[in-house]
Amino acid sequence: MDPNNVNEASDNMSDDGEMASVMGFSGFGKKARTFDLDAIFEQTRRTAIERSQRALERKQKDDQMEEEEGESSKSVKSSVHTQREKAATATSRKQESESSSNSGSDSDSESELIGPPLPPQYTAQDDDDEHVRLPRLPGNAAHSDEDDDEGETQDDDDDDDNPVKKIPDTHEITLQHGTKTVSALALDPSGARLVTGGYDYDVRFWDFAGMDQALQAFRSLQPCECHQIKSLQYSNTGDVILVVSGNAQAKVLDRDGFNVMECVKGDQYIVDMAKTKGHTAMLNSGCWHPKIKEEFMTCSNDGTVRTWDLSSEKKHKSVFKPRSFQGKKVIPTCCTYSRDGKLIAAGCQDGTIQIWDRNLSVHTKFHCRQAHIPGSDTSCLSFSYDGMTLASRGGDDTLKMWDIRNFRNPVNVATGLTNYFTMTDCCFSPDDKLLVTGTSVKKDEGNGKLVFFERASFQKVYEIEVTNASVVRCLWHPKLNQIMVGTGNGLSKVYYDPVKSHRGAKLCVVKSQRKERQAETLTQDYIITPHALPMFREARQRSTRKQLEKDRLDPKKSHKPEPPVSGPGRGGRVAAHGGTLSSFIVKNIALDKTDDSNPRQAILRHAKEASENPYWVAPAYTQTQPEPVFAEESEEDEEADKEPEWKKRKI
């Protein structure tokens, strides 16, 4: 027995004794199994060397076999199989001898092989198997095993080389959003739900798995009341939707359309837009951060690009202010993040494209001053999947491609692409080989088209005539391999291929339209009001003579006219008045002709009633108030009152 193990055992026993005296228990159960790591590593190294030697020998034998036998595909095939059988038997025998030698030399160790297991292509098969499976042979020998499928593989290679054949345009479905322009499209990352928004203020939700051939939206709402929808986008997790409309406040909805957040509106009387908490003018565009699920960005007519956090709706996160060559404020019409989320790009009304570092909002990192014609709204910016190329769709009827590493001049330019909308899209194909955009047309002057350009040569390789209206929005989903298009006549079209596309529109076209029930058709065709039925009518009185007589005596119900005024008018009524202002005033001030020329007599007229029935002042002073004594007026006083004023002055 190894003395080291004895010492370890004694140490463990002493430790158990101390543990039992201190903590009340003597151990932690069974002891762990110990391994010799040096032996394991050595055995693994030897196994790897042997495998590499066997693979090298097999490859050399295959190369010799290819050089010797080149007569026909069948002979090559048979020779390959025989050679494989020999190699398999040789390897199996070699493995048996090695295992026996290893078992004899390492009798003290365990019988199992120490190290990682052998891959399945090197393990020996059962005796009943006809052939031993080996790795694919390199070069032409691998293709010689599949002569029967040679034509199919060549077709697949042609499809891989030609990106036009990957366009899913063999089938289409049409979703009727409304009658006005579909100005926004969004599809969640899984491709299960489509959201459309338009100039009719509506946002409609379409569920591909829940729709049938009727192709009806399961929900329609107006989240921003009477404002046109400018942009819609799902977050990278697909649980919330960013809604950008014509007002100054962006909204965030959940998957079912309920309000989650509304951005705050800024103070429009503050000159410095960086000092306000939010936008103060109409929004133009917005998008989510590709990596951070709670951050999104908006741009507005107030001349700012702002980033927001979903958890704090009271204030923006950061502000980017585009500037012209003279340092004046310019309006950003579109904005986007780069694929890694480190850059923020904005297209402005003066024709510039300005790119900032997301963490540095003061100075631009890339700036192209004459990207498009000044005064034309840049409708879309889109980064390629590799992050090095930027595509811009301008209001000057052009589509340009830029390399952000050399941002002064465009790499390629396509002209003649009519654009009448400030939100016309452009996007890259999932394999980054094609660039897609839509064209605009005037009413009854042709069809709007979806145009495809090859990224390398920038040649127009394909186009699809969509409808007799402008093509505004386009979206190529990488997971579904389906193209969604929003048009100027209220249609949303989905293009797909039954072979190349997955799920999405393929789920709803196979479902038959649900039949309406008999009860539903009756309730839709006939509307019965309950009070129109005889059983719900109120019973009328059989004899109405007495009721009519009572109503005749009531001056209000009978509408009895007022009798004419005889004499001077009283109580606001005038006997005879014309259309003059004085007559109108006399009528409305309740003219009263009572003569109260003697005020003393007018007061004493109410003295008897006040003394007999005191109401206001007298009850409070009944005990302290003396009795009023009025002196009677004598005849001399009456004569003195009648004397004229000039006599009194003489006296």
Side-chain angles (χ1 to χ4, degrees), residues 398-410:
T398 61
L399 175 66
K400 297 184 179 182
M401 192 167 65
W402 310 79
D403 190 342
I404 62 173
R405 295 165 294 186
N406 185 13
F407 204 53
R408 293 184 178 180
N409 298 314

Side-chain angles (χ1 to χ4, degrees), residues 334-339 343-347 352-355 366-368 371-372 378 380-393 399-407 409-412 426 428 432 435 455 458:
C334 60
C335 59
T336 186
Y337 282 101
S338 61
R339 294 289 176 176
L343 299 177
I344 289 177
T352 62
I353 298 177
Q354 305 182 24
I355 302 178
F366 306 103
H367 197 149
C368 184
H372 293 278
T378 303
C380 180
L381 294 176
S382 177
F383 278 92
S384 61
Y385 286 93
D386 59 11
M388 293 293 105
T389 304
L390 176 68
S392 63
R393 183 72 164 95
L399 175 66
K400 297 184 179 182
M401 192 167 65
W402 310 79
D403 190 342
I404 62 173
R405 295 165 294 186
N406 185 13
F407 204 53
N409 298 314
V411 178
N412 290 303
C426 64
F428 285 88
D432 250 0
L435 187 58
R455 178 181 172 182
F458 221 65

